[in-house]
Structure formats: C-alpha cells, structure tokens
Amino acid sequence: MKLVLQNNEQDCLIACYAMILSSFGSNVCLEDLYLDEYIPPDGLSASYLKNLNTKFHLNMHVLKGDGNQVLEYIYKYKSHAIVHWRNSHFVVVDKCTKKFVKIMDPALGTIVISRSSFLNDFSGYILLFSTQSNYKPIKIKSPLVDLIKKTYIGRNLVEYVGALLLIELVSIIYATYLRSILTQNIKWISSLLVVAILIPLHFIGYLLETKAQINSNIKYEINITKSLFQGILNHSLLFFRNNTPGSIIEKVNLKSRIRDSIQTQLIPSIISIFSFLILSLYLYRVSRLLTFLSVLLLIVYALINFLIYRKILNANLKYVQQTITVSDKIQEGLSQIDQIKSLGSEVVWEKEWINSSMHGQELYNDILSLQSIINMTNQLFSISSAVILIYLGINLVSLHRINMGDLVLFQTIFISLMSSVTQFQTSLIELSNLSVYSKKVQSLFTKDEQRQDKVIPNNDYILKAQDVSFGFYGNRQVIKDFHLTIRPGEKIAILGESGSGKTSLLNVLLGVYKYQGDIYYGIKDFRKKLGVVTQNMNLTSGPLIKNLIGNSSITPKIMDEVNYAISAVNMMETIDKLPKKIFSNLFQNGKNLSGGQIQRLLVARSLLNDSKFLVWDEPFSNLDNLNREKIYSNILNSARYSDKTLILSSHHIDCVKYMDRIIFISSRGQISVGSDEELRNNIEYQRFIGINKGENND
C-alpha cells in the first residue's frame, strides 16, 4: 500500500481512501477523488465515500466498536482499514502485531505505535473495504511524468550522460595507469604525457556536463515550470478556497527538489551502474578471489545502508509534510495580523509557530541522526573492508598470485565502487521521494475543464442567464433554475443576509464557479470589458497610476478619465497629499493606504480601461455612510457613467434608491427579482430593509 499525503486538513479522508485504492492495485491522486471543486471547511464525512465507491466499484462497511476488536480483526484477516482518529482525523491501519500497530497518517507519514497508544487515539469508527466483482485497477498517469520525459530524454540527456561517462572513463584510465606505474618501469616523461592528456579530457568532461546541465535547466523551465504556472492559474476559483497560498507556494518549491533529484542523483546513478559493471569486470581479470570478496562486502554494505535509507525516506516524507504545515500556520497568522496586534495575542501565535516549527526541526533532527548513522557506517565499513582487502591482498602478493600494483588498484577501485553503490541507493530513495513530490504537485499541473464563455454580441442585453443552478457538494442548492437578463446601462443590486449566497451568485454570473444552465454575454471581448471589485481583491506594489490603468500609455485623455474617477470616489485630496501624487509608489497589497482608501481606488479602477460591465462585491464594506453616499451619487447619478452596466452585492440598503432592479435572496435561499417598489410586497424583503420597524429608507 502506498502512502498518500493530504493537501490540507480537509481532505485527510480521501487521502486515506487513495491509500486503500492503492492496496487494491489502483494508482490515483487526490484530485481524481474530488466529486466537487469545493470541500466543506470542516472536512468530509464517511458518507462522501458512497459516491466514490460507486465510481471505483468498492464495497464499504462502517463499523463501530472498541479498538481491541478492530485490531483483532485486522490482525486475523490481514486487511487494511480507515479508522477515525482523535475525533477529528482519519488514518489507515496498515498492519498490526500483538504489541505494535503500523498506521499510515496522511498528515505525517508512516508511524509505528504501541497498541496502548492506538487505543487512546482511536475514536470508535472503522471503515472496511472490499472490491466488487466488476472492479478493475485504475492507473492514472501523472502529467508530470510526461513533462519530465520531454525535458530530459533526447540529445541533451545524451550529452549529459556522455560527459559523465568521459569523466568516469578518465578516472578508470588513471587507476589502471597507476597500476602500471607500480608494476612496470615507466619513465617520468611518459607519466607527464599521460597526465597531460587526462587532465584536459577531465576538464572537457566537466565543461560538457555544465553545458548539459544549463540546457536541461532551460528546458525544465520551458516545459515544467511554464506548465506548472499555467496549471495553477487554470484552476477554478474554488481550488484556491481549498488550498492556502502557503501550501501552494510550498508545492511550487518542490519543483526545484524534483529537478535537483533528477540531475544530481538519478542521472549520475546511471553512470554509477555502468562504472560498477566495467570496474567489476576489470577487477575480475586481475583477481577472481579479491573480486568475489569485494562484491560480497559491497552487498553487505548495500543491505545495511538500504535498511537505514528506508527509515530516512519515511522521516523525509514527514519533514516535507510538516514544512507545508508550518508554512500554512505562518500564512494563517499573517493573514490576521491586524487582529493579532489589536488583541495583543502575539505570544499565543508565537507559541503556535514555534511549536509547529520545532516539530519540523525534530523531524529534521531524525533525518540528521539517521544520516550520521550512515556516515558512521560508511567510515567503519571503509576502514574494516580496507583492512580485510589489504590483509588478503598481501597474502596473495606473497603467494605471487597478484602484484603490489594490483593490490593498490583494488583498494582504489573498491572505494570508487562503494561510492557507486551509495549513489545508486540514494537514487532509489530519490525515486521514492520523486513519487511523493510528483503526487504533491500533481494537483497544480492538473488543469480543470474550462467552461467557454458564450459570447453573442447583442444590443439588447449585457448578460442573460437561463435555467442556472449552482450548489456546493453536500449542501442545499444556492441557486436553482435562475433566470435573469441584464440590459445595457442597467443598475442592479443583490441584497440579502450575510451567508445567503450573494457572492456565490455573482461568481456564477461571472462564470468563475461551475454551474448548470446557460449564461450568455452580449459584449464582444467580454472579459476585457469587465470592471471588477471583489472582497479579496487588493492593490499591487508599484506606482499608483499603474494600479489604475495597467500598462496603458499615459495620455491627456486617459489622465482626464483617471482624475474624474478618483474624484468620483472622493480620493483626490488624499492622492494630492502623497509625495509624488498619482505617481507615488504603493507597498505590497497597498499597505501604506487604509482599507477604505484601497476599496475606493479599486472602484475607481473598475471605472477605467474602457470597462462596460461593472461587477462589485461588497465594494464599500470599509466605508462610512457619508463616503458611501457620496460615491453612489458621484457614480450612479453621473451622466459620464450612465452607459456602464452595474451589478453589485451589498448588505447596505442605502444603495436601493440608485438601482433599477433588486435581486433579493431570502434566508431560505429563494431569489426574487424586481424593482424596490415591486419587492415591497415580499414580507422577508420588508423585514430586511426595516420597513416593519418604521424606518425610512428613501
């Protein structure tokens, strides 16, 4: 059964399910198990697996019992099971003995614990699986594999391997010549001549190796890095709800580890195998007895190292996973730094960060400890094997079976063989690591099926929605059989309580959430004509003017539009106080401005760049009533912007008097569309705007 690490805390259950599938011979990644784009914030329950069982033809039994019963069942039938762990997590029990339990934790890796520890953490539920009669193993190939082949297989690989072979060949020639020096009367002029030939050849080999590595790096960037970034940006908006920026960045960084593993471990290991075979055959010609002894010692050396390397692999997997977890924790804290500073909770977050980082350091210390054991083993084995070979070799020299040159050659080449064995073993571990890395980053390469915009230029509408439905997995439908036609120049507000689905409706109308039904856009180059303000949108570092108009040329006409827009959002006075006014530089995310100022500049930007359709999602949540009222009046009553179509979501009701129509979403998810006057017959709408309290909202 293969270990599958989770992407985040919400998908530990399907990571366990992927491990169960691997025990039945299937090879799938987590993304193949997502039934929807969005995973609920509290994770998935066992009911989520019912549809997966139908898809993959598995039977599932959910049982409740005590831990001893579970372990006895697994011990008796040698089966794998998913168990509920610590009341909030899922792990797979791989095998158990009378004293110990081996679990595969999608958050940490493979762990061996005592039975008593298992019983303390077991939460009472067990999921057992079996295959149906029509089950067939599924092998889903990672797109990363083809990209790696495209990068490294070809002329560049031939040059790289050829360079390494040349370097290795020079070393072999040098060793054999050293033997000749010890056994024959070679003149110093001949020695200088040989050295004069070998040194340039060695230098040429390194030059060719460097050139091949540089070319490989360039191809790697062209093929893999480009595809990686395309894949990330190709994902739907909900993908970024399931994955934090920190976890995505950590996965992106794994691409460098993949490249380094291939170039510094795997490719050289190919040469190590070749070198091992050539040197062994050469030694066999010199002395069969010493060769047999050398190979025997190397086999023992390889077995010892292999056992230790297996532990290093497991420790390394845990460390990689913890690195991503630490990044997530830090990202989570930094995203709420304002709250942390306000509440004075720095110490709390400091402890959480330190504990998380310290756990990562403990895992890294495990790797260092195991590496130290390997280094110690290598040294002891090198010394002991040298003593054994020299002792036997001297006896063979005394018996005239070999000469002193042969013995020196054996000792020199044996060290080289040990290095080849170590490198080959390391490459096997790197192959396992690459498998894990590729699965971790596979979700970034996997491209979502993109819905093509249905653009039909039409003067009668900007947007037309027909029979549109949308909902998250396991929840009620947010939108059902929705119809809407937005006419050019129309101003529409989406109103409703917090959590009613206003933002979801906007994202569906924009086509960034997958939906059922049809949405048609009546503007040519629809995406280029959008002026969007979302709740998560921010400014970027650089000149303020670039934030507003992008890379457009600064002409008198454009500057007139910019000045009018920043005046409309009541920001002219603020900008005039900046050191370079409109050309002043902003910090990352506009941190040298207030939240309200950022929102107003985002609104100003949406009015520029030839926008025709404005989509605002809670654009004034950080503004006071006075500023909000001024902006409504300056933009929505302005003849200059009368041709712009607007749809905005808001929980403020002071925008109603500027709107042609209202989309009201009730607390039960029912959607009503009409003018303010028409909707006043709706009791929930009345309650929402406060009419029943006698408030005057006009």
Side-chain angles (χ1 to χ4, degrees):
M1 183 168 61
K2 294 182 179 179
L3 173 66
V4 178
L5 296 176
Q6 64 192 46
N7 287 329
N8 48 58
E9 294 178 357
Q10 287 75 32
D11 59 10
C12 66
L13 177 59
I14 56 175
C16 291
Y17 191 83
M19 287 189 259
I20 294 295
L21 284 171
S22 74
S23 71
F24 294 128
S26 290
N27 181 27
V28 299
C29 68
L30 293 187
E31 286 63 37
D32 301 317
L33 303 179
Y34 289 164
L35 297 174
D36 196 22
E37 297 173 294
Y38 180 75
I39 295 178
D42 57 349
L44 301 172
S45 63
S47 61
Y48 185 90
L49 302 185
K50 290 181 179 179
N51 289 330
L52 287 176
N53 291 329
T54 302
K55 178 179 179 181
F56 292 101
H57 307 292
L58 294 184
N59 298 313
M60 180 178 72
H61 299 283
V62 181
L63 305 177
K64 184 177 182 181
D66 63 43
N68 283 313
Q69 292 174 322
V70 170
L71 293 179
E72 287 303 320
Y73 181 91
I74 294 172
Y75 179 74
K76 181 178 180 181
Y77 294 101
K78 309 297 182 185
S79 63
H80 304 101
I82 298 176
V83 299
H84 199 217
W85 195 248
R86 296 173 182 172
N87 295 315
S88 61
H89 190 51
F90 289 95
V91 300
V92 175
V93 177
D94 184 26
K95 61 179 67 172
C96 63
T97 65
K98 291 294 185 181
K99 293 183 178 181
F100 298 101
V101 181
K102 179 182 177 184
I103 65 171
M104 302 181 79
D105 189 331
L108 297 175
T110 303
I111 305 172
V112 177
I113 59 175
S114 65
R115 278 199 168 217
S116 59
S117 296
F118 176 86
L119 296 176
N120 288 335
D121 291 328
F122 178 61
S123 302
Y125 289 94
I126 176 174
L127 283 67
L128 298 172
F129 298 86
S130 60
T131 58
Q132 298 175 4
S133 58
N134 57 345
Y135 174 81
K136 290 183 179 180
I138 297 173
K139 306 289 185 182
I140 298 178
K141 195 175 182 181
S142 169
L144 182 59
V145 174
D146 289 333
L147 289 170
I148 289 176
K149 288 181 179 178
K150 184 178 178 182
T151 300
Y152 288 103
I153 294 180
R155 177 183 173 184
N156 207 49
L157 179 62
V158 172
E159 291 179 351
Y160 192 26
V161 172
L164 293 176
L165 281 174
L166 180 60
I167 295 171
E168 198 70 29
L169 183 62
V170 169
S171 299
I172 294 173
I173 294 173
Y174 179 79
T176 55
Y177 187 72
L178 182 63
R179 173 176 177 264
S180 300
I181 291 176
L182 294 171
T183 57
Q184 300 177 28
N185 185 21
I186 297 178
K187 298 181 179 179
W188 65 271
I189 296 178
S190 301
S191 301
L192 288 177
L193 183 62
V194 171
V195 171
I197 295 173
L198 291 180
I199 290 177
L201 286 176
H202 210 251
F203 182 68
I204 291 171
Y206 278 113
L207 287 180
L208 292 174
E209 180 188 10
T210 302
K211 177 188 173 185
Q213 284 182 329
I214 292 173
N215 291 336
S216 295
N217 289 338
I218 293 172
K219 288 186 70 176
Y220 191 90
E221 289 297 313
I222 292 173
N223 294 330
I224 293 180
T225 304
K226 182 180 178 181
S227 296
L228 176 65
F229 292 155
Q230 284 179 343
I232 293 172
L233 295 173
N234 183 262
H235 277 88
S236 68
L237 183 61
L238 288 174
F239 171 85
F240 300 96
R241 300 284 192 266
N242 293 332
N243 296 271
T244 65
S247 66
I248 293 175
I249 291 171
E250 285 297 332
K251 290 177 184 177
V252 169
N253 290 337
L254 287 178
K255 73 180 179 70
S256 298
R257 298 187 69 169
I258 292 172
R259 178 199 60 206
D260 295 342
S261 294
I262 293 172
Q263 294 194 179
T264 63
Q265 298 294 338
L266 297 185
I267 294 178
S269 71
I270 298 173
I271 309 304
S272 295
I273 297 172
F274 173 80
S275 174
F276 184 89
L277 294 174
I278 297 298
L279 291 175
S280 298
L281 289 174
Y282 183 78
L283 291 179
Y284 185 77
R285 290 183 59 193
V286 176
S287 171
R288 296 181 182 182
L289 180 59
L290 278 180
T291 301
F292 175 77
L293 180 61
S294 298
V295 171
L296 185 62
L297 289 171
L298 289 172
I299 291 174
V300 173
Y301 173 73
L303 289 174
I304 294 172
N305 273 359
F306 179 74
L307 294 175
I308 303 174
Y309 268 119
R310 285 185 63 184
K311 293 185 178 295
I312 287 183
L313 172 61
N314 188 39
N316 189 50
L317 295 180
K318 294 178 184 178
Y319 177 67
V320 170
Q321 186 68 12
Q322 183 61 23
T323 301
I324 295 175
T325 301
V326 171
S327 180
D328 281 347
K329 291 288 184 186
I330 296 174
Q331 178 79 24
E332 183 181 9
L334 293 178
S335 66
Q336 22 185 333
I337 192 67
D338 293 347
Q339 177 182 335
I340 292 172
K341 288 292 183 183
S342 301
L343 299 177
S345 55
E346 292 93 338
V347 175
V348 176
W349 279 92
E350 177 188 337
K351 287 181 179 178
E352 187 167 354
W353 287 358
I354 288 175
N355 290 337
S356 184
S357 181
M358 186 60 70
H359 181 51
Q361 185 59 48
E362 290 170 358
L363 295 173
Y364 186 65
N365 289 341
D366 291 341
I367 296 174
L368 292 179
S369 298
L370 291 169
Q371 193 63 56
S372 297
I373 293 174
I374 283 185
N375 293 336
M376 180 185 68
T377 303
N378 290 348
Q379 290 175 359
L380 292 175
F381 194 85
S382 296
I383 294 171
S384 59
S385 60
V387 171
I388 293 171
L389 286 173
I390 290 174
Y391 179 79
L392 180 61
I394 290 175
N395 283 293
L396 291 174
V397 170
S398 64
L399 295 173
H400 303 289
R401 299 280 297 277
I402 61 172
N403 55 46
M404 188 58 68
D406 294 333
L407 180 59
V408 173
L409 176 66
F410 254 96
Q411 189 61 36
T412 304
I413 291 181
F414 183 78
I415 294 173
S416 178
L417 288 175
M418 281 186 62
S419 175
S420 297
V421 171
T422 302
Q423 191 169 44
F424 180 68
Q425 286 184 319
T426 304
S427 70
L428 293 179
I429 300 298
E430 286 301 320
L431 274 174
S432 299
N433 286 342
L434 279 174
S435 176
V436 175
Y437 298 157
S438 65
K439 287 181 179 178
K440 293 294 288 184
V441 302
Q442 183 168 333
S443 62
L444 305 184
F445 285 95
T446 305
K447 296 182 179 180
D448 292 339
E449 183 180 348
Q450 296 295 301
R451 180 188 292 269
Q452 296 296 319
D453 290 337
K454 298 177 181 178
V455 178
I456 304 176
N458 194 301
N459 295 327
D460 296 330
Y461 64 83
I462 294 291
L463 181 149
K464 180 184 286 187
Q466 295 180 337
D467 296 316
V468 171
S469 298
F470 169 78
F472 298 111
Y473 181 85
N475 297 324
R476 62 174 175 79
Q477 281 193 306
V478 179
I479 305 166
K480 185 176 181 180
D481 300 329
F482 180 65
H483 294 262
L484 178 70
T485 299
I486 302 177
R487 296 179 290 273
E490 194 173 15
K491 310 294 189 288
I492 298 175
I494 304 175
L495 301 180
E497 297 176 0
S498 178
S500 60
K502 300 187 297 296
T503 298
S504 295
L505 178 57
L506 270 185
N507 285 328
V508 167
L509 294 178
L510 273 176
V512 294
Y513 282 0
K514 291 182 179 179
Y515 58 87
Q516 292 78 47
D518 296 296
I519 297 178
Y520 302 96
Y521 304 110
I523 310 175
K524 187 179 180 182
D525 297 327
F526 170 72
R527 298 289 165 187
K528 295 180 181 179
K529 302 296 182 180
L530 279 173
V532 179
V533 180
T534 68
Q535 296 183 46
N536 298 318
M537 191 176 287
N538 225 318
L539 299 172
T540 58
S541 58
L544 174 54
I545 184 66
K546 187 175 181 180
N547 268 275
L548 295 175
I549 65 172
N551 295 321
S552 300
S553 301
I554 301 175
T555 63
K557 180 182 178 182
I558 287 179
M559 285 306 302
D560 176 63
E561 292 177 0
V562 169
N563 289 330
Y564 196 93
I566 60 179
S567 296
V569 297
N570 202 25
M571 278 292 290
M572 183 61 78
E573 184 178 347
T574 301
I575 291 175
D576 283 341
K577 291 179 181 178
L578 295 176
K580 296 181 182 179
K581 297 182 171 49
I582 195 72
F583 298 98
S584 297
N585 280 315
L586 300 181
F587 297 161
Q588 188 178 26
N589 296 329
K591 287 295 186 181
N592 46 337
L593 298 174
S594 70
Q597 289 170 338
I598 291 172
Q599 279 191 325
R600 281 183 278 170
L601 287 173
L602 290 173
V603 170
R605 182 171 71 184
S606 73
L607 298 170
L608 300 169
N609 306 309
D610 197 27
S611 62
K612 300 295 183 185
F613 187 23
L614 309 180
V615 181
W616 295 348
D617 186 13
E618 297 286 2
F620 308 121
S621 58
N622 292 326
L623 297 187
D624 56 83
N625 294 341
L626 181 60
N627 261 309
R628 198 166 59 245
E629 183 66 31
K630 283 183 179 179
I631 294 173
Y632 282 143
S633 178
N634 291 343
I635 296 176
L636 302 181
N637 282 344
S638 170
R640 187 160 188 156
Y641 300 128
S642 61
D643 64 332
K644 293 187 184 294
T645 307
L646 168 70
I647 181 168
L648 72 88
S649 74
S650 179
H651 61 274
H652 297 295
I653 60 174
D654 51 4
C655 65
V656 168
K657 62 184 177 181
Y658 298 100
M659 298 294 128
D660 298 309
R661 282 190 295 166
I662 309 294
I663 300 173
F664 176 66
I665 306 178
S666 72
S667 58
R668 293 172 295 174
Q670 294 179 335
I671 301 177
S672 304
V673 183
S675 65
D676 175 51
E677 184 177 351
E678 292 169 344
L679 290 178
R680 290 192 184 227
N681 295 322
N682 185 314
I683 295 176
E684 281 209 50
Y685 180 75
Q686 291 178 21
R687 187 180 297 115
F688 177 78
I689 64 175
I691 289 179
N692 59 334
K693 294 182 180 179
E695 296 180 9
N696 184 1
N697 296 294
D698 291 330

